[in-house]
Amino acid sequence: VFVFIPIVMMVFARFPLRPLPSLAHSVLARRFSSDSEIAAIIARTQQAFRDSPAAAAAAFSATSVQAEGLRCDVRMRQHKMTLDEPADLGRNEGPSPAEVMMMALGTCQEITFKAYSTAMGMSLDSVAVTVRGSVDWRKAYGIDSPDPSGFTAVSTQVLVSSAAGLADLKQLQQAVDAHCPVLDMFSRSVKVVVNVDCELSAGSEPHADLAVAVQQRKNVVAANVDGHSTLSSMSMLTEGLKTVARVGEHEHVVDEPTDLGGTDTGPNPVELVLAGLCSSLQMTFKKLAAEAGVGVDTVVSKAKGDIDLRGFFAVDESVPPGFHTITVNVVVSSPAAADVIKQLHAKAVECDPVMHLVTGRPPMDLGEVDVSVA
């Protein structure tokens, strides 16, 4: 059975979604391994959390360093990732923070599909997800807008190949929607605490080139009728809980740690959320500083997300599967006075589109799940 499961989140818009033939062909050509190992890890973990709920308390983190331009070098445990802006603002050396958030959602859906199909004893040959998001950039660039800054619509298309019946696949879809950590975080308001410290540096000249580029981008956004653009990511589960995500020419492996059933070949989706949030705040702050003529040497941010894993593992249905609190500690090195830096960073927090996605509690509506059999 080969099924398409389109899911539309947020009531604002629906995008026409078309599977990519090459992606669909690759998905159908692959089969997963290690189902028994994944099932055994899930069962042991569930029992451990039933016996000791306190053992389910966990924390993930990401550290992002921004020096030259807008580029951010992020580390999540031993895994490294570069985030950047497109060539009109940055050097396009990696996906943008907003694109990483799309990547996080798609890969989290795939991993949750695999984990729950295995736990439910269902055969799942393959799964791939395409995510598209519409972003209103106006407030991020100081332009008046009736809408909040950030995402106004997110659409996902899930492509599943399975021998299971349609009724079982719908049951699986419901379980995934109820326990996917990133979907949970995008569906409710997560508490985010931001702390900013300042270090006085010898002196960095204001970033005049960046200020010009920001003004040019602002002109483009202002010229757009509604200030929106559409971002997308495509990802595909390859084996076990490992998935490969692609945004434009940028490709990244996403996986789970070994104690959560993966092979730890890449960061996991919730770590991507932290990476996207850290780097987005850094880039928004750097743009505002450039516009204000404030020199900035470096910005170092560390985000920590606290999570109760009983939610994801369905041990306690009252526990949300995503982060309940995210703390972001920021250190800015600049010749500017501390109060100037803190005012600029507070403005960045207020208008940052990724911050809004995590904290804004945007309206979500998964609607009916349409299933068609090819």
Side-chain angles (χ1 to χ4, degrees):
V1 179
F2 182 56
V3 302
F4 292 96
I5 308 178
I7 311 159
V8 177
M9 300 184 299
M10 299 189 187
V11 297
F12 298 106
R14 175 185 291 266
F15 298 113
L17 299 176
R18 299 182 299 277
L20 298 180
S22 58
L23 180 61
H25 177 78
S26 299
V27 169
L28 291 173
R30 294 180 181 270
R31 300 187 71 85
F32 298 132
S33 60
S34 304
D35 283 11
S36 59
E37 290 89 346
I38 294 173
I41 290 173
I42 292 173
R44 288 198 304 268
T45 303
Q46 288 176 320
Q47 189 58 53
F49 292 164
R50 292 188 189 101
D51 295 340
S52 177
F60 293 92
S61 64
T63 300
S64 178
V65 178
Q66 183 187 56
E68 184 179 356
L70 296 178
R71 168 182 166 146
C72 295
D73 294 309
V74 184
R75 188 178 184 93
M76 297 153 281
R77 293 176 290 118
Q78 75 272 31
H79 306 297
K80 299 178 180 179
M81 185 178 191
T82 296
L83 285 76
D84 202 354
E85 287 280 15
D88 64 326
L89 277 176
R91 295 183 177 178
N92 195 32
E93 295 180 358
S96 71
E99 289 170 328
V100 167
M101 303 305 273
M102 300 292 91
M103 187 186 299
L105 176 58
T107 57
C108 196
Q109 285 271 294
E110 290 164 349
I111 290 172
T112 308
F113 259 101
K114 181 59 179 176
Y116 270 82
S117 65
T118 304
M120 295 166 67
M122 293 174 56
S123 170
L124 185 66
D125 292 335
S126 58
V127 57
V129 178
T130 300
V131 183
R132 290 189 175 93
S134 180
V135 184
D136 186 341
W137 297 102
R138 286 175 289 186
K139 286 190 175 178
Y141 287 94
I143 302 169
D144 289 338
S145 169
D147 297 324
S149 175
F151 289 88
T152 56
V154 178
S155 298
T156 68
Q157 181 187 56
V158 183
L159 178 61
V160 175
S161 175
S162 174
L166 295 182
D168 289 338
L169 288 171
K170 286 186 177 181
Q171 184 180 8
L172 173 61
Q173 176 69 56
Q174 292 171 353
V176 170
D177 290 343
H179 300 97
C180 175
V182 176
L183 176 59
D184 169 64
M185 287 185 276
F186 289 2
S187 302
R188 62 179 173 87
S189 178
V190 177
K191 180 181 179 181
V192 178
V193 178
V194 180
N195 304 307
V196 180
D197 288 324
C198 304
E199 293 182 349
L200 189 64
S201 63
S204 175
E205 293 296 324
H207 304 280
D209 291 345
L210 178 58
V212 171
V214 170
Q215 183 59 53
Q216 291 173 342
R217 172 70 73 87
K218 180 184 292 189
N219 294 340
V220 172
V221 173
N224 193 344
V225 174
D226 59 3
H228 283 68
S229 66
T230 301
L231 308 175
S232 66
S233 76
M234 295 175 290
S235 52
M236 177 177 63
L237 203 66
T238 57
E239 57 181 345
L241 299 180
K242 176 182 175 181
T243 178
V244 178
R246 184 181 300 115
V247 173
E249 67 267 40
H250 307 296
E251 185 172 285
H252 293 277
V253 172
V254 182
D255 199 353
E256 289 289 349
T258 53
D259 57 349
L260 294 180
T263 54
D264 204 16
T265 56
N268 71 8
V270 298
E271 290 172 322
L272 290 184
V273 169
L274 298 176
L277 178 60
C278 261
S279 57
S280 187
L281 286 172
Q282 287 172 309
M283 292 184 191
T284 301
F285 167 76
K286 194 79 171 281
K287 294 171 192 174
L288 291 172
E291 282 191 296
V294 174
V296 176
D297 289 324
T298 60
V299 183
V300 179
S301 301
K302 182 172 183 178
K304 180 174 78 73
D306 295 307
I307 192 169
D308 187 333
L309 293 173
R310 291 178 297 167
F312 173 72
F313 283 96
V315 173
D316 186 340
E317 295 295 346
S318 68
V319 175
F323 292 131
H324 57 80
T325 305
I326 298 173
T327 302
V328 183
N329 292 318
V330 183
V331 178
V332 179
S333 178
S334 169
D339 60 339
V340 172
I341 295 299
K342 292 186 176 183
Q343 288 174 7
L344 283 171
H345 204 279
K347 186 176 179 181
V349 170
E350 181 181 352
C351 69
D352 184 76
V354 171
M355 185 73 170
H356 170 72
L357 177 64
V358 176
T359 64
R361 193 181 294 171
M364 291 279 198
D365 183 9
L366 291 178
E368 295 294 325
V369 176
D370 299 323
V371 180
S372 59
V373 181

